[in-house]
Amino acid sequence: MKTGVGYRRELSAWLATKPRGVDCLEITAEHFFHGGVEHLAALAKKLPLFVHGLGLSLGTPGALDKKILEQFARVVSLAQPEWISDHIAFTRTAEVDLGHLNPIPPTREMLKIISDHVREVSDRCGKPMLLENITSHVQLAGDLRETDFLNGLCERAGCKLLLDVTNLFINSRNHGFDARQWLREIQPSNIVQLHIVGYSRHGSRYTDSHAAPIQDELIELAREVVRHAPVQAVILERDEDFPDVAGLEIEVAKLQRIRDGN
Amino acid sequence: MTEIDFITAFARLLRDGKLRKVFAANPEAAARQVHLREADLPSWMQLIPADVEFQADVLLRKRLDLVKLFTPETCRRLGEKLWPTFRSFARENWPPENAANFFDAYQFCERLKQQQSGSVVAVEWNRLRFAFSKCRLAFHSVRMPDARRRTRRGLQFFLRGRGCQWGEYFFYVSW
């Protein structure tokens, strides 16, 4: 299993030192839509890359945004990742760009919409696609259980899951369900990659600020996933309040603990 | 009137503070207002207003993060009032898609100036105004901190090329 980090400019000096425990990088496709081609090529020479999208808006009914798809495909072509990923979510509609990930209802209709979009992206990019679970403060009802929806999506779209352990934990706390039971309902072979970062608290709510050290309860949950599923990579997804080098090394060591199960 | 699907209606709910008020008081009335298709009404009725409001705030905080990139000093000056002030402005004003973040910052500063809060930093406001003008050239006498964080008087100078590209220059005129 590979361990790595989500690439952010703030981490570039540290990554240049070839830190132990970082044997892959996940880049955010949108960060390279308007430039940075040489930089991307240089990264691709150093480490295996995964390409992660934020804005394909796979849950929007209707056609995918062709311009965004082409920009995404261009980044994939430069990075040559083993796989690509985006979220089980929508960020925009024909009327408005909300600028962030929002939940979709687990319905048969949505299953078809997202499956069709995943197939289109995967065909255009020539790469297998993973889908990531998001956090949402709204729990949407549908005619399927969330876990049945996710298993159905993998089967119908021919994709796998990027399980964000932190998002699962946060949703389980905010919406009052058992994360371990949720995991048992997911077909293990569907889980290929993990995201993890510490959660934050906002009053009684848990939030995914991407700004905190990984807590022990998340490490425990991630270990359980690793015992349960053929995970091939785990990525630290820190976006804010970056720690110093010693702090980063501590976070990477936590990924190794998840991988090694100790 | 054409009926709309759940995702389109939900997106409207998340961006429009006035619609959320209607929804909190009477979800069916809000569904009629947006012409939600009948088949999606059960999903709509199960939405919890407090959760929708929290999710909408998540989106507003993302917007504020981007506005801060263009108006860091103005936002710093607002201190603890920043979030409530921005939230009050942004709940009912969603920027158009093109140049959304820059325009959001412009409109936010415009609102602050209307409120005469005194928090808008001239250097940032001049930059936003120039970006949305068609002027080829503009200059302003301003006070701004130098590399040693000492506030000095200077000349802020903008020049637009033939395309949309423009540059900003600053000359200190006092020690």
Side-chain angles (χ1 to χ4, degrees):
Chain A
M1 186 195 309
K2 292 186 177 82
T3 56
V5 299
Y7 177 77
R8 309 289 182 264
R9 286 205 179 276
E10 291 87 342
L11 300 178
S12 56
W14 172 64
L15 289 170
T17 67
K18 299 182 179 172
R20 195 161 159 260
V22 177
D23 41 37
C24 61
L25 293 176
E26 184 183 76
I27 61 146
T28 301
E30 285 77 4
H31 293 173
F32 297 91
F33 277 8
H34 304 292
V37 170
E38 296 84 5
H39 189 53
L40 180 55
L43 287 175
K45 278 184 190 163
K46 285 181 189 161
L47 287 168
L49 303 182
F50 303 119
V51 175
H52 187 53
L54 298 171
L56 286 168
S57 199
L58 300 169
T60 301
L64 285 171
D65 185 313
K66 295 292 181 228
K67 186 179 170 194
I68 292 175
L69 177 57
E70 287 311 309
Q71 287 173 316
F72 186 88
R74 188 177 134 270
V75 172
V76 172
S77 143
L78 289 164
Q80 283 305 313
E82 194 171 338
W83 60 69
I84 58 178
S85 58
D86 204 310
H87 300 82
I88 305 161
F90 78 98
T91 59
R92 84 180 84 77
T93 65
E95 295 177 347
V96 63
D97 184 349
L98 294 171
H100 187 57
L101 305 160
N102 295 285
I104 47 90
T107 61
R108 287 182 172 78
E109 183 187 10
M110 188 51 70
L111 199 62
K112 180 175 184 329
I113 290 168
I114 298 190
S115 301
D116 290 349
H117 286 162
V118 168
R119 285 190 181 283
E120 184 178 349
V121 175
S122 193
D123 288 349
R124 173 64 189 85
C125 297
K127 297 287 176 187
M129 187 159 200
L130 311 187
L131 294 180
E132 179 180 358
N133 56 311
I134 67 163
T135 52
S136 167
H137 297 280
V138 181
Q139 195 172 31
L140 297 181
D143 48 17
L144 296 169
R145 285 192 308 178
E146 186 187 18
T147 45
D148 291 338
F149 179 82
L150 296 179
N151 287 329
L153 205 48
C154 290
E155 190 179 332
R156 184 169 180 147
C159 64
K160 300 286 184 186
L161 296 177
L162 189 178
L163 178 70
D164 190 312
V165 175
T166 310
N167 290 351
L168 170 60
F169 178 86
I170 288 171
N171 286 343
S172 72
R173 291 297 171 106
N174 288 340
H175 301 309
F177 66 87
D178 181 350
R180 285 170 172 80
Q181 176 59 34
W182 188 97
L183 273 176
R184 283 192 284 275
E185 291 168 10
I186 294 288
Q187 178 67 35
S189 61
N190 285 335
I191 303 174
V192 168
Q193 186 189 334
L194 303 184
H195 272 176
I196 193 164
V197 68
Y199 60 78
S200 301
R201 297 289 297 268
H202 194 93
S204 62
R205 302 233 185 199
Y206 288 74
T207 62
D208 62 334
S209 61
H210 291 212
I214 303 169
Q215 291 91 348
D216 285 344
E217 54 214 314
L218 295 175
I219 295 175
E220 279 309 309
L221 187 59
R223 277 181 181 159
E224 191 157 328
V225 181
V226 169
R227 281 197 293 271
H228 172 81
V231 176
Q232 294 176 40
V234 54
I235 297 288
L236 172 68
E237 205 184 25
R238 187 80 176 244
D239 291 332
E240 287 179 35
D241 295 346
F242 292 97
D244 58 15
V245 169
L248 288 166
E249 285 171 355
I250 289 169
E251 291 303 285
V252 170
K254 291 174 185 173
L255 304 185
Q256 293 173 305
R257 281 171 57 198
I258 292 167
R259 180 193 63 195
D260 300 337
N262 57 30
Chain B
M1 183 64 79
T2 313
E3 290 191 324
I4 62 171
D5 61 77
F6 177 83
I7 293 292
T8 306
F10 184 41
R12 279 193 199 173
L13 194 60
L14 290 171
R15 77 161 181 199
D16 185 345
K18 284 180 186 162
L19 181 60
R20 289 199 299 281
K21 273 187 193 161
V22 175
F23 177 79
N26 186 344
E28 278 184 299
R32 282 195 299 276
Q33 186 176 321
V34 299
H35 302 282
L36 179 69
R37 65 184 185 186
E38 190 72 27
D40 288 329
L41 195 56
S43 296
W44 180 265
M45 295 302 290
Q46 287 188 46
L47 291 171
I48 298 166
D51 290 351
V52 173
E53 201 61 56
F54 200 95
Q55 182 73 16
D57 275 354
V58 169
L59 301 181
L60 295 187
R61 285 186 187 275
K62 295 282 176 188
R63 272 174 67 184
L64 177 56
D65 287 344
L66 295 169
V67 164
K68 278 184 195 169
L69 297 177
F70 302 111
T71 57
E73 195 60 25
T74 299
C75 289
R76 195 191 59 76
R77 274 192 191 176
L78 280 164
E80 289 184 357
K81 289 182 184 165
L82 173 62
W83 168 241
T85 307
F86 183 78
R87 186 174 188 263
S88 155
F89 152 77
R91 277 175 62 83
E92 288 163 16
N93 291 281
W94 202 272
E97 200 164 332
N98 51 340
N101 306 326
F102 213 53
F103 193 65
D104 219 9
Y106 175 79
Q107 287 201 312
F108 180 49
C109 287
E110 200 169 43
R111 170 72 68 90
L112 291 172
K113 286 190 86 70
Q114 284 164 3
Q115 293 170 346
Q116 299 180 320
S117 72
S119 49
V120 179
V121 174
V123 170
E124 293 172 355
W125 174 242
N126 295 338
R127 187 177 300 130
L128 290 166
R129 268 202 315 175
F130 186 79
F132 285 101
S133 74
K134 290 181 179 172
C135 295
R136 296 287 303 276
L137 178 70
F139 54 89
H140 306 269
S141 172
V142 292
R143 296 180 71 83
M144 71 177 284
D146 63 13
R148 293 183 188 172
R149 307 298 296 170
R150 292 178 310 177
T151 301
R152 291 165 58 189
R153 186 160 289 287
L155 196 65
Q156 188 183 20
F157 184 75
F158 298 97
L159 184 63
R160 196 184 306 275
R162 286 192 177 172
C164 294
Q165 298 288 321
W166 55 272
E168 178 182 349
Y169 309 91
F170 195 85
F171 305 101
Y172 291 105
V173 294
S174 70
W175 293 102

